[in-house]
Amino acid sequence: MKNTDTADQKGYDAGKKVSGIKRHIAVDTLGLPHAIAVTTAEVTDRNGALQALKRCRSSLGQVQGLLCDGGYTGAPFAESVQEILGKPVTVQIAKRSKLHTFKVMPRRWIVERSFAWLEKCRRLWKNCERKLDTSLQLIHLAFLAPLLRRS
């Protein structure tokens, strides 16, 4: 997520060549969030996901499996997830079949839809916040809109 000039806490992601922050979310099959973390951009995706799981460990007691994209491959990540949650959890990696071809990945679009819900909030389309905690709280508020529409 790109920053404006008012943002205080920001980093640089050399892979994506973007200065800003990263949002890490873990959602259920309905697209509702269960774990959220906001980090500076230099934090890797794996470490950011582990931070999100650590923050919300108490509400993840029923989790039996995680479906992740190709950025989360490797036994160390799966072992860290099991260590954080304190039980055996299957970590599935949704891999692409061919490079440079567009294909909808099964169940992966759920997370992308959740990020799209965040982008609908005018305040979250770019990081204008000075602190990471403020950005995290605005993400929580943004996810209240889909929750209230469902009830």
Side-chain angles (χ1 to χ4, degrees), residues 18-149:
V18 173
S19 174
I21 64 168
K22 284 186 183 177
R23 298 173 181 158
H24 309 276
I25 63 172
V27 298
D28 60 8
T29 55
L30 297 174
L32 302 175
H34 288 274
I36 303 172
V38 177
T39 62
T40 55
E42 71 264 0
V43 175
T44 64
D45 291 340
R46 292 178 188 173
N47 291 340
L50 294 175
Q51 281 183 10
L53 293 175
K54 283 179 191 173
R55 280 191 73 255
C56 303
R57 179 182 338 187
S58 61
S59 65
L60 299 173
Q62 301 294 324
V63 174
Q64 297 174 356
L66 261 61
L67 179 64
C68 306
D69 69 359
Y72 301 95
T73 58
F77 177 74
E79 291 170 2
S80 298
V81 168
Q82 291 179 3
E83 181 180 309
I84 289 169
L85 297 180
K87 62 180 186 171
V89 176
T90 59
V91 177
Q92 292 179 310
I93 305 299
K95 294 194 177 199
R96 295 183 180 170
S97 57
K98 296 178 184 176
L99 292 176
H100 305 296
T101 60
F102 177 77
K103 184 179 177 185
V104 177
M105 306 282 294
R107 294 185 286 175
R108 177 141 178 249
W109 62 271
I110 297 171
V111 176
E112 299 301 329
R113 181 183 63 186
S114 299
F115 278 121
W117 289 343
L118 290 178
E119 294 295 319
K120 285 184 179 181
C121 297
R122 185 174 58 93
R123 184 117 180 224
L124 294 176
W125 73 276
K126 194 177 256 193
N127 183 34
C128 303
E129 308 308 322
R130 303 192 88 174
K131 303 289 182 195
L132 294 177
D133 287 339
T134 307
S135 183
L136 178 67
Q137 298 309 318
L138 286 172
I139 291 170
H140 284 291
L141 285 173
F143 272 119
L144 282 177
L147 279 173
L148 290 174
R149 265 181 276 169

